[in-house]
Amino acid sequence: MRRKEATPYGKRRLKEGLSIVTKFWNVTNQEVLGKSRHRHIMNARHSLRFYLTMSRDLPLAEIACLTNGDHASVLHSKKMFETLCLYDPDFRQMQSIFIGEVKHEHKVSRTVKIEEILISALPIREKRVKIESLYEN
């Protein structure tokens, strides 16, 4: 069976996720991406895999490749993270951090689009219509 190759986008998301997860759980990158099954390391690994599945544009096989697992491990980590969010305040806090990250990314991309519209040579009325359409979606 061929192993899925990691894309540059996937590697960038992994780097972002690792920086958040390692600071929160106080573990190293090597521990998260390793094979250790200590609870605090598994918590970080579940969190990282959940973070990578949140964007919905990375296939499970690529997430598995990035985190040294397989697609079933990714599904299990996502399910465990969601279950632990119900009972563990640390996981709920981690989830709120992730949700804040995702919302922040959307605001940045909208801001960039607005800047591009403002700089363009369109008449002011067309600029206004285009900017208003960004907020309707």
Side-chain angles (χ1 to χ4, degrees), residues 46-96:
H46 290 324
S47 300
L48 176 63
R49 288 177 176 155
F50 180 82
Y51 177 78
L52 293 173
T53 60
M54 282 180 62
S55 64
R56 298 186 188 268
D57 52 1
L58 287 174
L60 295 178
E62 184 173 356
I63 295 170
C65 176
L66 290 165
T67 59
N68 298 322
D70 59 21
H71 74 284
S73 300
V74 175
L75 288 173
H76 175 72
S77 286
K78 183 176 186 221
K79 182 179 177 182
M80 285 299 298
F81 186 91
E82 291 169 345
T83 302
L84 289 166
C85 280
L86 299 174
Y87 305 104
D88 190 330
D90 288 337
F91 279 89
R92 281 193 294 272
Q93 184 180 2
M94 183 92 263
Q95 187 178 38
S96 68

Side-chain angles (χ1 to χ4, degrees), residues 101-114:
E101 285 288 315
V102 172
K103 286 181 181 176
H104 179 71
E105 286 181 6
H106 290 300
K107 288 179 183 175
V108 169
S109 64
R110 184 183 293 166
T111 303
V112 169
K113 289 178 184 177
I114 291 171

Side-chain angles (χ1 to χ4, degrees), residues 4 7 19-21 32 40 48-49 56-57 63 79 81 84 98 106 109 111 117 122 126-127 135-137:
K4 176 83 174 150
T7 61
S19 69
I20 297 167
V21 167
V32 175
H40 70 288
L48 176 63
R49 288 177 176 155
R56 298 186 188 268
D57 52 1
I63 295 170
K79 182 179 177 182
F81 186 91
L84 289 166
F98 289 160
H106 290 300
S109 64
T111 303
I117 293 169
L122 294 171
E126 287 182 39
K127 288 181 181 181
Y135 286 97
E136 291 172 358
N137 298 331

